[in-house]
Amino acid sequence: MFDPNGILIAKNNSNGRVIKSIAGRWLDKHYFILPQAEEYEVRQRILSGTDCKLIVKYQVIDSEGEPLCLTNQVLPEGLNLNQYDFKFNKNERRINEVVNKEYGPVVFDGQQIDQEASYVMGSRVSVYTTLIQKPFGNDIAEILNIIHVHLSDMSDFTSIDVVYLKKGETRDQHMEFGTDEMGTILRYKILVKNLAVHEILYNTGSSVEVVPF
């Protein structure tokens, strides 16, 4: 069962059943009634994806000796967050439950971001580039030169790496983030492919996100 926003309701919903009066024709058109075994398989396929989960990205900081939860982003976008309660467990320092106020607990994926991660989630990165020509043996090769990057990041300083993908390479070969030459944690990777910016990756400390640009 889903809430009105399409978020899957947790199977162990402690609120019990939600009873609604539904016209038979509408029920036939919008619902499938499955045996329990098939329902389990469908549910597992849904849980393996992200389309029907509520995703919450958050940071935990210490304020006056108490852990404080700061929500950075909730997906899917456009949700009315007043419909949900986010249960933060101070002892475990994590969000351990999300509850739709009418329908009860929902399935969610909590992604904790480290305190030093300061990219404004969901904001768009602007990359300014130009093509330059350099001699390469007897030929002239074109290279994409990145001249400026504009991003929404709340830190005073951040580190960016540029990776020129070789033939056959994908982001999967570049999901590990180390440190830059100054020992600062690397936060951004700009992936270049076919003389264009292909993707931009961001290191939250607990996951690697693809950011819009």
Side-chain angles (χ1 to χ4, degrees):
M1 187 173 182
F2 302 86
D3 74 5
N5 298 313
I7 305 300
L8 189 66
I9 294 173
K11 192 171 182 62
N12 60 347
N13 189 332
S14 60
N15 285 4
R17 292 177 297 175
V18 178
I19 300 175
K20 288 183 175 291
S21 177
I22 300 175
R25 290 182 180 177
W26 195 92
L27 180 67
D28 292 340
K29 184 177 180 180
H30 295 277
Y31 281 83
F32 293 99
I33 299 176
L34 301 173
Q36 188 171 4
E38 290 185 29
E39 184 268 346
Y40 176 80
E41 290 183 12
V42 171
R43 192 178 187 89
Q44 291 304 113
R45 288 201 299 270
I46 291 172
L47 287 173
S48 65
T50 60
D51 292 345
C52 300
K53 293 181 184 178
L54 188 149
I55 298 174
V56 54
K57 301 176 184 181
Y58 64 99
Q59 289 175 301
V60 179
I61 64 172
D62 291 300
S63 177
E64 298 181 353
E66 290 285 329
L68 182 65
C69 179
L70 301 177
T71 302
N72 292 70
Q73 187 180 30
V74 177
L75 298 172
E77 295 180 348
L79 288 178
N80 181 356
L81 299 185
N82 292 326
Q83 297 175 358
Y84 297 91
D85 282 329
F86 297 85
K87 307 291 187 180
F88 176 65
N89 187 311
K90 290 185 177 181
N91 293 327
E92 298 179 2
R93 299 176 66 88
R94 68 183 182 92
I95 294 175
N96 59 2
E97 189 177 47
V98 178
V99 178
N100 181 298
K101 294 176 182 178
E102 181 180 357
Y103 291 85
V106 298
V107 175
F108 78 100
D109 183 11
Q111 300 177 6
Q112 187 169 336
I113 300 169
D114 72 38
Q115 294 187 31
E116 303 302 320
S118 49
Y119 162 68
V120 178
M121 288 293 177
S123 63
R124 189 171 297 275
V125 176
S126 297
V127 184
Y128 298 85
T129 65
T130 184
L131 288 175
I132 60 175
Q133 294 184 335
K134 284 193 172 184
F136 187 77
N138 296 324
D139 298 320
I140 299 295
E142 281 192 314
I143 299 174
L144 185 76
N145 184 35
I146 295 176
I147 57 178
H148 180 73
V149 178
H150 181 81
L151 48 86
S152 296
D153 193 296
M154 294 181 290
S155 63
D156 295 328
F157 175 83
T158 193
S159 55
I160 301 174
D161 189 18
V162 179
V163 178
Y164 292 85
L165 297 178
K166 299 176 182 177
K167 186 176 181 179
E169 277 191 326
T170 66
R171 81 164 82 119
D172 294 337
Q173 284 83 50
H174 300 279
M175 298 295 280
E176 292 189 10
F177 282 68
T179 57
D180 64 13
E181 295 177 353
M182 299 176 62
T184 303
I185 295 174
L186 189 62
R187 291 293 178 187
Y188 296 88
K189 277 187 184 179
I190 300 175
L191 305 184
V192 176
K193 182 178 181 180
N194 297 330
L195 298 178
V197 175
H198 179 60
E199 283 183 313
I200 300 177
L201 307 180
Y202 181 72
N203 170 27
T204 70
S206 60
S207 64
V208 175
E209 305 288 332
V210 177
V211 302
F213 68 95

Coordinates of all heavy atoms in Angstrom, one line a residue, residues 124-131 142-151 160-165 169-171 188-202 209-213:
R124 N 22.2 23.5 -8.8 CA 22.9 23.2 -10.0 C 24.3 23.8 -10.1 O 24.5 24.9 -9.7 CB 22.0 23.7 -11.2 CG 22.4 23.3 -12.6 CD 21.4 23.7 -13.6 NE 20.1 23.0 -13.4 CZ 19.9 21.8 -13.8 NH1 20.8 21.2 -14.6 NH2 18.7 21.3 -13.6
V125 N 25.2 23.0 -10.6 CA 26.6 23.5 -10.8 C 26.8 24.0 -12.2 O 26.3 23.4 -13.2 CB 27.6 22.3 -10.5 CG1 29.0 22.8 -10.8 CG2 27.4 21.8 -9.1
S126 N 27.4 25.2 -12.3 CA 27.7 25.7 -13.7 C 29.2 25.6 -13.9 O 30.0 25.9 -13.1 CB 27.3 27.2 -13.7 OG 25.9 27.4 -13.5
V127 N 29.5 25.0 -15.1 CA 30.9 24.8 -15.5 C 31.1 25.5 -16.8 O 30.4 25.3 -17.8 CB 31.2 23.3 -15.7 CG1 32.6 23.1 -16.0 CG2 30.8 22.5 -14.4
Y128 N 32.1 26.4 -16.8 CA 32.5 27.2 -18.0 C 33.7 26.6 -18.6 O 34.8 26.3 -17.9 CB 32.8 28.6 -17.6 CG 31.5 29.3 -17.0 CD1 31.2 29.2 -15.6 CD2 30.7 30.0 -17.8 CE1 30.1 29.8 -15.1 CE2 29.5 30.6 -17.3 CZ 29.3 30.5 -15.9 OH 28.1 31.1 -15.4
T129 N 33.6 26.3 -19.9 CA 34.7 25.5 -20.6 C 35.1 26.2 -21.9 O 34.3 27.1 -22.4 CB 34.3 24.1 -20.9 OG1 33.2 24.1 -21.8 CG2 33.9 23.4 -19.6
T130 N 36.2 25.8 -22.4 CA 36.6 26.2 -23.7 C 37.4 25.1 -24.4 O 38.1 24.3 -23.6 CB 37.4 27.5 -23.7 OG1 37.7 28.0 -25.0 CG2 38.7 27.4 -22.9
L131 N 37.4 25.0 -25.7 CA 38.3 24.0 -26.4 C 39.6 24.7 -26.8 O 39.6 25.8 -27.3 CB 37.5 23.5 -27.6 CG 36.3 22.6 -27.4 CD1 35.7 22.3 -28.7 CD2 36.8 21.3 -26.7
E142 N 42.4 18.4 -29.8 CA 41.5 19.3 -29.0 C 41.3 18.8 -27.6 O 41.2 17.6 -27.4 CB 40.2 19.4 -29.7 CG 40.2 20.4 -30.9 CD 38.7 20.7 -31.4 OE1 37.9 19.7 -31.5 OE2 38.5 21.9 -31.6
I143 N 41.4 19.7 -26.7 CA 41.3 19.4 -25.3 C 40.2 20.3 -24.7 O 40.2 21.5 -24.9 CB 42.6 19.5 -24.5 CG1 43.6 18.6 -25.1 CG2 42.4 19.2 -23.0 CD1 45.0 18.8 -24.5
L144 N 39.3 19.8 -23.8 CA 38.4 20.6 -23.1 C 39.1 21.2 -21.9 O 39.5 20.5 -21.0 CB 37.2 19.8 -22.7 CG 36.0 20.6 -22.0 CD1 35.3 21.3 -23.1 CD2 35.1 19.7 -21.2
N145 N 39.1 22.5 -21.9 CA 39.7 23.2 -20.7 C 38.6 23.8 -19.9 O 37.8 24.6 -20.3 CB 40.6 24.3 -21.3 CG 41.4 25.0 -20.2 OD1 41.8 24.4 -19.2 ND2 41.6 26.3 -20.3
I146 N 38.6 23.5 -18.6 CA 37.7 24.0 -17.6 C 38.3 25.3 -17.0 O 39.3 25.2 -16.4 CB 37.3 23.0 -16.5 CG1 36.6 21.8 -17.2 CG2 36.4 23.6 -15.4 CD1 36.3 20.7 -16.2
I147 N 37.6 26.4 -17.3 CA 38.1 27.7 -16.8 C 37.5 28.2 -15.6 O 38.0 29.1 -14.9 CB 38.1 28.7 -18.0 CG1 36.6 28.9 -18.5 CG2 39.0 28.3 -19.1 CD1 36.5 29.9 -19.5
H148 N 36.2 27.8 -15.3 CA 35.6 28.3 -14.1 C 34.4 27.4 -13.7 O 33.8 26.8 -14.5 CB 35.0 29.7 -14.3 CG 34.3 30.3 -13.1 ND1 34.9 30.8 -12.0 CD2 32.9 30.5 -12.9 CE1 34.0 31.2 -11.2 NE2 32.8 31.0 -11.7
V149 N 34.3 27.2 -12.4 CA 33.2 26.4 -11.8 C 32.4 27.2 -10.8 O 33.0 27.7 -9.9 CB 33.7 25.1 -11.2 CG1 32.5 24.2 -10.6 CG2 34.5 24.2 -12.2
H150 N 31.1 27.3 -11.0 CA 30.3 28.0 -10.0 C 29.4 27.0 -9.4 O 28.6 26.3 -10.0 CB 29.5 29.1 -10.7 CG 28.6 29.9 -9.8 ND1 29.2 31.0 -9.0 CD2 27.3 29.8 -9.5 CE1 28.2 31.5 -8.3 NE2 27.1 30.8 -8.5
L151 N 29.4 26.9 -8.0 CA 28.6 26.0 -7.3 C 28.1 26.6 -6.0 O 28.7 27.5 -5.5 CB 29.4 24.7 -7.1 CG 30.8 24.7 -6.5 CD1 30.8 24.8 -5.0 CD2 31.6 23.5 -7.0
I160 N 38.2 20.1 -5.9 CA 37.6 19.6 -7.2 C 38.6 18.9 -8.0 O 39.8 19.4 -8.1 CB 37.0 20.8 -8.0 CG1 35.9 21.6 -7.2 CG2 36.3 20.3 -9.3 CD1 35.4 22.8 -7.9
D161 N 38.3 17.8 -8.5 CA 39.2 17.0 -9.4 C 38.5 16.9 -10.8 O 37.2 16.8 -10.8 CB 39.5 15.7 -8.9 CG 40.6 14.9 -9.6 OD1 41.3 15.6 -10.4 OD2 40.7 13.7 -9.5
V162 N 39.3 16.9 -11.8 CA 38.7 16.7 -13.2 C 39.3 15.4 -13.7 O 40.5 15.2 -13.7 CB 39.1 17.9 -14.1 CG1 38.6 17.7 -15.5 CG2 38.6 19.2 -13.5
V163 N 38.4 14.6 -14.2 CA 38.8 13.3 -14.7 C 38.4 13.2 -16.2 O 37.2 13.4 -16.5 CB 38.2 12.1 -13.9 CG1 38.6 10.8 -14.5 CG2 38.6 12.2 -12.5
Y164 N 39.4 12.9 -17.1 CA 39.0 12.7 -18.5 C 38.9 11.2 -18.7 O 39.8 10.4 -18.6 CB 40.2 13.3 -19.4 CG 40.3 14.8 -19.3 CD1 41.0 15.4 -18.3 CD2 39.6 15.6 -20.2 CE1 41.0 16.8 -18.2 CE2 39.7 17.0 -20.2 CZ 40.4 17.6 -19.1 OH 40.4 18.9 -19.0
L165 N 37.6 10.8 -19.0 CA 37.3 9.4 -19.1 C 37.9 8.8 -20.4 O 37.9 9.4 -21.5 CB 35.8 9.2 -19.2 CG 35.0 9.6 -17.9 CD1 33.5 9.4 -18.2 CD2 35.5 8.8 -16.7
E169 N 35.4 3.7 -20.1 CA 35.3 4.1 -18.7 C 33.9 4.7 -18.4 O 33.3 5.4 -19.2 CB 36.4 5.0 -18.3 CG 37.7 4.4 -18.0 CD 38.7 5.3 -17.3 OE1 38.6 6.5 -17.6 OE2 39.4 4.9 -16.5
T170 N 33.4 4.4 -17.2 CA 32.2 5.0 -16.7 C 32.5 5.6 -15.3 O 33.6 5.5 -14.8 CB 31.1 4.0 -16.6 OG1 31.4 3.0 -15.6 CG2 30.9 3.3 -18.0
R171 N 31.4 6.2 -14.7 CA 31.6 6.7 -13.4 C 32.0 5.6 -12.4 O 32.6 5.9 -11.3 CB 30.3 7.4 -12.9 CG 29.2 6.4 -12.4 CD 28.2 7.2 -11.7 NE 27.2 7.8 -12.5 CZ 25.9 7.5 -12.5 NH1 25.4 6.6 -11.7 NH2 25.1 8.1 -13.3
Y188 N 34.5 17.0 -5.0 CA 33.8 17.0 -6.3 C 34.7 16.3 -7.4 O 36.0 16.5 -7.3 CB 33.6 18.5 -6.8 CG 32.6 19.2 -6.0 CD1 33.0 20.0 -4.9 CD2 31.2 19.3 -6.3 CE1 32.1 20.7 -4.1 CE2 30.3 20.0 -5.5 CZ 30.8 20.7 -4.4 OH 29.9 21.4 -3.7
K189 N 34.1 15.6 -8.3 CA 34.8 15.1 -9.5 C 34.0 15.5 -10.7 O 32.8 15.2 -10.8 CB 35.0 13.6 -9.4 CG 36.1 13.1 -8.6 CD 36.3 11.6 -8.8 CE 37.4 11.0 -7.9 NZ 37.5 9.6 -8.0
I190 N 34.6 16.2 -11.6 CA 34.0 16.5 -12.9 C 34.5 15.5 -13.9 O 35.7 15.4 -14.2 CB 34.4 17.9 -13.3 CG1 33.9 19.0 -12.3 CG2 33.8 18.2 -14.7 CD1 34.3 20.4 -12.6
L191 N 33.6 14.7 -14.5 CA 34.0 13.7 -15.5 C 33.7 14.3 -16.9 O 32.7 14.7 -17.2 CB 33.1 12.4 -15.3 CG 33.1 11.8 -13.9 CD1 32.3 10.5 -13.9 CD2 34.5 11.6 -13.4
V192 N 34.8 14.2 -17.7 CA 34.8 14.7 -19.0 C 34.8 13.6 -20.0 O 35.6 12.7 -19.9 CB 36.0 15.7 -19.3 CG1 36.0 16.2 -20.7 CG2 35.9 16.9 -18.3
K193 N 33.9 13.7 -21.0 CA 33.9 12.6 -22.0 C 33.5 13.2 -23.4 O 32.6 14.1 -23.4 CB 32.8 11.6 -21.6 CG 32.7 10.4 -22.6 CD 31.6 9.4 -22.1 CE 31.5 8.2 -23.0 NZ 30.5 7.3 -22.5
N194 N 34.2 12.9 -24.4 CA 34.0 13.4 -25.8 C 33.9 14.9 -25.8 O 33.0 15.5 -26.4 CB 32.6 12.8 -26.3 CG 32.7 11.3 -26.5 OD1 33.8 10.7 -26.7 ND2 31.5 10.6 -26.3
L195 N 34.9 15.5 -25.2 CA 35.1 17.0 -25.2 C 33.9 17.7 -24.6 O 33.6 18.8 -25.0 CB 35.3 17.5 -26.6 CG 36.6 16.9 -27.3 CD1 36.7 17.4 -28.7 CD2 37.9 17.3 -26.5
A196 N 33.3 17.1 -23.6 CA 32.2 17.8 -22.9 C 32.1 17.3 -21.5 O 32.6 16.2 -21.2 CB 30.9 17.5 -23.6
V197 N 31.6 18.1 -20.6 CA 31.3 17.6 -19.2 C 30.3 16.5 -19.3 O 29.2 16.8 -19.8 CB 30.9 18.8 -18.3 CG1 30.5 18.3 -16.9 CG2 32.0 19.8 -18.2
H198 N 30.6 15.4 -18.7 CA 29.7 14.2 -18.8 C 28.9 14.1 -17.5 O 27.6 14.0 -17.6 CB 30.5 13.0 -19.0 CG 29.7 11.7 -19.1 ND1 28.8 11.5 -20.0 CD2 29.8 10.6 -18.3 CE1 28.2 10.3 -19.8 NE2 28.8 9.7 -18.8
E199 N 29.5 14.1 -16.4 CA 28.8 14.1 -15.1 C 29.7 14.8 -14.0 O 30.9 15.0 -14.2 CB 28.6 12.6 -14.7 CG 27.5 11.9 -15.4 CD 27.3 10.5 -14.8 OE1 28.4 9.7 -14.7 OE2 26.2 10.1 -14.6
I200 N 29.0 15.1 -12.9 CA 29.7 15.7 -11.8 C 29.3 14.9 -10.6 O 28.1 14.7 -10.3 CB 29.3 17.2 -11.6 CG1 29.7 18.0 -12.8 CG2 30.0 17.7 -10.3 CD1 29.4 19.5 -12.7
L201 N 30.3 14.4 -9.9 CA 30.1 13.5 -8.7 C 30.4 14.3 -7.4 O 31.3 15.2 -7.4 CB 30.9 12.3 -8.7 CG 30.8 11.4 -10.0 CD1 31.7 10.2 -9.9 CD2 29.4 11.0 -10.2
Y202 N 29.7 14.1 -6.4 CA 29.9 14.7 -5.1 C 30.0 13.7 -4.0 O 29.2 12.8 -3.8 CB 28.8 15.7 -4.7 CG 29.1 16.4 -3.4 CD1 30.1 17.4 -3.3 CD2 28.4 16.1 -2.3 CE1 30.4 18.1 -2.1 CE2 28.6 16.8 -1.1 CZ 29.6 17.7 -1.0 OH 29.9 18.4 0.2
E209 N 27.1 11.2 -4.8 CA 25.9 11.6 -5.5 C 26.3 12.2 -6.8 O 27.3 12.8 -7.0 CB 25.2 12.7 -4.6 CG 24.9 12.2 -3.2 CD 23.8 11.2 -3.1 OE1 22.9 11.2 -4.0 OE2 23.8 10.4 -2.2
V210 N 25.4 12.0 -7.8 CA 25.5 12.7 -9.1 C 24.7 14.0 -8.9 O 23.5 14.0 -8.6 CB 24.9 11.9 -10.2 CG1 24.9 12.6 -11.5 CG2 25.6 10.5 -10.3
V211 N 25.4 15.1 -9.2 CA 24.7 16.4 -9.0 C 24.4 17.1 -10.4 O 25.1 16.8 -11.4 CB 25.7 17.4 -8.2 CG1 26.0 16.8 -6.9 CG2 26.9 17.7 -9.0
P212 N 23.3 17.8 -10.4 CA 22.9 18.5 -11.7 C 23.8 19.6 -12.1 O 24.4 20.3 -11.2 CB 21.5 19.0 -11.4 CG 21.5 19.2 -9.9 CD 22.4 18.1 -9.3
F213 N 24.0 19.8 -13.4 CA 24.9 20.9 -13.9 C 24.3 21.4 -15.2 O 23.4 20.8 -15.8 CB 26.3 20.4 -14.0 CG 26.5 19.4 -15.2 CD1 26.9 19.8 -16.4 CD2 26.3 18.0 -14.9 CE1 27.0 18.9 -17.4 CE2 26.4 17.1 -16.0 CZ 26.8 17.5 -17.2

